Amino acid sequence: MSETSRCLRAAERLLQLAPPVVQQHREALLPLLEQLLLRQQEGAEPLPLAASDLEKLGREGCSALTQLPLELVINPQGGAQLWSRRRQQQQQRLLQELLLRLDLHNGMLLTGGAGTGKTTLVRELLQEEEGRPTWLLAPTGKAAARLRETLSPLPETMQCATVHRALEADAEGGYRRGSHRPLEAEVVVVDEVSMLDAALMQALLEALPPAARLILVGDPAQLPPIGGSGVLDALELKLQEQQPERHRHLERSHRFNDATALGRFVQQLRRGASSADLQLQLDELNGENLHWWTLQETWPRPLLQRIEQHRQQLRQTCLDEGCDDTSALAHLDELMVLSPRRRGRYGIDQLNSRWLQLDPTEPRRWPAGTPLLVGRNDAGLGLANGDRGLVRPGEMGPEAVIASSEGPVRFPIALIPAPEPALAMTVHKSQGSQAVEVIAVIPPATSIDRRLLYTALTRARQRVDLFSPRLDTLELSH
């Protein structure tokens, strides 16, 4: 029996045991319960609900949900999250632990959009901690490398790594660092907190020394973690209500400001502009550093030419013996092609297959210049899911050059855990990375998560090409 069938049967059983007032809404509740159970199996609770989902449920349907061992948490921005009561209680305990930690040890949450100067403020805060052992952490190797680069030169008392590497993740999914063996640090800074799920945040808290100062940095407008519930949104809300002195929000973006079309569009998107207003802005601003292409079956020729040019440049760079690994990885950051989907006509699997013409199951045969993603954590190698790299020739065969907090590192490609070709990558996996130019494709749909579009566009340092349906035909959720 498939996981979907098992979850459907479990949902039906739950409704059979429910009070009559709940069973009256069986038709509306059954698919929600099935989806929630599936997300639990994937370790990705809660189930996000759009405002339109709540409208379909109606007041009585929402009330019926509360008669089950579930919690419906309404988002201030619109929509809701559906939790099992047990997991929601665990989430609340984690939030209380974070609030207490920040309050007792001069902790801080720094939030703001892309380019608002969060890392600059971190640098100022760290000047107060000169000489104290400090860890700089980020969820992926690429994000950690960017953090190190931005704050360099680092003093001897400061280390930079991924969260998994600092916690010394093991092959069984656990961590060697914990309350029994805490991190050797007096200050811990965690960047890109929006990417941390509750389980990883809990593991980090357990590994902190009792008196360590914790500084969390993130952008609430970005996507939540892939594998579970995040804590950033809820923590920001709690701090605003209870401990505003522990929260600092940066509003003005230096990278996405009124001086450019992309900057003006990103600001409006972040402020909650309607899909109709955003489409009007695309129509008016089209042609500067933000170019909109109407989605159609055939990709626009200029986009295909730019992608092929990038692919050829990567190949030539990786074959050039005079080009060091740092420079090769810099070329990788010239262009990023993003899609919200893995499968389907505009999904990354099909796009990579079409443009790279290789067998994704045979990485040892991938040619030089192939962009790749690490698909699974490997504590022994110090690699994290989402780390990016390139294939380059090595003495014993193809090698993967991976961006890490310590700079480029090389591995025989056969050692890379679950490698994926990544000329195109999902928006989720792009978090923590940037590129000079971004090409973002949005497949046909009735709705799109506002955070997904925002995350895709803010990966760009200079230019975005958006290949999408008219935004005024889409419902923007969240």
Side-chain angles (χ1 to χ4, degrees):
M1 183 184 298
S2 67
E3 288 294 335
T4 302
S5 299
R6 274 193 285 267
C7 290
L8 177 58
R9 289 185 63 176
E12 290 173 337
R13 179 64 174 162
L14 184 60
L15 287 174
Q16 287 172 1
L17 298 173
V21 67
V22 176
Q23 295 182 21
Q24 293 175 10
H25 299 278
R26 181 184 185 280
E27 186 175 343
L29 298 183
L30 182 61
L32 293 182
L33 294 177
E34 180 189 358
Q35 292 174 53
L36 177 61
L37 291 169
L38 276 170
R39 288 184 72 87
Q40 288 177 346
Q41 292 293 321
E42 297 165 355
E45 194 175 347
L47 174 67
L49 301 178
S52 57
D53 295 323
L54 297 180
E55 290 177 9
K56 292 175 185 176
L57 273 176
R59 182 176 299 177
E60 292 185 357
C62 291
S63 177
L65 274 176
T66 63
Q67 302 296 311
L68 297 168
L70 305 173
E71 294 285 345
L72 186 65
V73 180
I74 305 299
N75 295 327
Q77 305 93 335
Q81 295 177 330
L82 184 60
W83 295 78
S84 66
R85 190 162 294 153
R86 179 181 60 84
R87 283 288 292 114
Q88 215 274 328
Q89 290 171 350
Q90 291 174 349
Q91 183 84 347
Q92 291 304 308
R93 285 195 293 271
L94 173 59
L95 285 172
Q96 289 304 317
E97 190 175 345
L98 275 168
L99 290 171
L100 184 62
R101 161 71 64 169
L102 296 179
D103 185 46
L104 291 179
H105 304 296
N106 195 29
M108 182 72 69
L109 172 65
L110 306 178
T111 60
T116 52
K118 298 187 293 295
T119 309
T120 301
L121 183 54
V122 168
R123 184 194 299 277
E124 295 173 5
L125 291 173
L126 290 178
Q127 289 175 353
E128 305 170 4
E129 309 294 347
E130 188 174 355
R132 300 181 70 191
T134 301
W135 270 106
L136 305 175
L137 305 179
T140 67
K142 186 63 179 178
R146 276 186 46 238
L147 185 61
R148 168 184 281 275
E149 180 182 352
T150 306
L151 296 176
S152 289
L154 301 184
E156 291 183 1
T157 55
M158 201 172 289
Q159 303 179 71
C160 186
T162 64
V163 179
H164 284 89
R165 186 168 187 177
L167 296 181
E168 298 180 15
D170 58 34
E172 286 72 42
Y175 303 96
R176 298 186 182 93
R177 293 283 183 174
S179 57
H180 61 288
R181 185 169 167 258
L183 294 170
E184 296 164 358
E186 296 179 15
V187 182
V188 175
V189 178
V190 186
D191 197 12
E192 301 286 357
V193 174
S194 64
M195 298 174 65
L196 264 66
D197 62 31
L200 186 54
M201 180 62 80
Q202 184 67 60
L204 176 62
L205 284 179
E206 291 174 1
L208 290 180
R213 185 186 188 189
L214 179 62
I215 300 173
L216 303 174
V217 187
D219 183 353
Q222 286 194 182
L223 286 166
I226 299 174
S229 58
V231 297
L232 180 55
D233 287 354
L235 179 61
E236 182 181 41
L237 186 60
K238 290 280 188 183
L239 287 173
Q240 290 170 347
E241 294 173 348
Q242 301 176 21
Q243 301 173 26
E245 71 280 6
R246 297 295 171 207
H247 175 227
R248 184 162 177 185
H249 180 73
L250 304 179
E251 194 67 44
R252 183 168 174 266
S253 177
H254 307 285
R255 179 152 54 100
F256 298 101
N257 55 40
D258 289 336
T260 69
L262 177 58
R264 293 192 290 275
F265 186 85
V266 165
Q267 287 188 50
Q268 291 302 310
L269 178 63
R270 201 175 194 279
R271 291 170 185 162
S274 69
S275 55
D277 288 342
L278 290 172
Q279 183 58 51
L280 182 62
Q281 198 169 358
L282 280 180
D283 293 335
E284 292 176 348
L285 301 177
N286 198 20
E288 296 183 44
N289 65 340
L290 173 62
H291 198 114
W292 175 61
W293 307 80
T294 306
L295 188 70
Q296 52 192 329
E297 289 190 9
T298 304
W299 277 66
R301 183 176 294 275
L303 297 187
L304 291 178
Q305 289 174 337
R306 179 67 186 96
I307 292 166
E308 177 59 18
Q309 178 190 40
H310 180 60
R311 189 182 72 83
Q312 292 293 344
Q313 286 176 338
L314 290 178
R315 177 171 173 78
Q316 292 168 12
T317 297
C318 288
L319 289 173
D320 183 357
E321 295 181 358
C323 180
D324 61 31
D325 289 343
T326 299
S327 300
L329 289 174
H331 279 83
L332 180 62
D333 292 335
E334 289 294 319
L335 177 68
M336 190 180 288
V337 183
L338 302 177
S339 170
R341 294 182 185 172
R342 177 170 291 278
R343 297 178 178 83
R345 182 178 183 84
Y346 299 99
I348 63 163
D349 288 348
Q350 188 175 120
L351 296 179
N352 283 319
S353 175
R354 183 189 311 164
W355 294 332
L356 294 174
Q357 297 290 308
L358 51 75
D359 185 344
T361 66
E362 292 286 346
R364 283 176 290 187
R365 296 185 179 180
W366 294 353
T370 301
L372 63 84
L373 273 177
V374 175
R376 190 175 64 244
N377 296 328
D378 189 311
L381 297 178
L383 296 175
N385 184 0
D387 286 349
R388 298 177 69 207
L390 282 166
V391 177
R392 298 202 73 178
E395 292 183 6
M396 304 298 290
E399 295 181 344
V401 180
I402 304 295
S404 79
S405 60
E406 303 296 329
V409 289
R410 281 196 179 220
F411 302 93
I413 199 166
L415 294 182
I416 300 298
E420 305 173 16
L423 185 58
M425 56 195 297
T426 63
V427 179
H428 261 108
K429 287 290 183 78
S430 74
Q431 292 187 96
S433 299
Q434 293 179 5
V436 177
E437 300 177 44
V438 166
I439 296 174
V441 55
I442 306 299
T446 57
S447 66
I448 183 175
D449 190 325
R450 181 184 298 272
R451 297 168 299 180
L452 187 145
L453 185 56
Y454 171 86
T455 301
L457 300 187
T458 54
R459 299 312 89 203
R461 291 197 289 266
Q462 292 184 12
R463 174 189 170 98
V464 168
D465 285 273
L466 179 62
F467 186 37
S468 76
R470 289 188 61 86
L471 297 187
D472 51 15
T473 66
L474 304 175
E475 176 190 352
L476 287 176
S477 60
H478 191 72

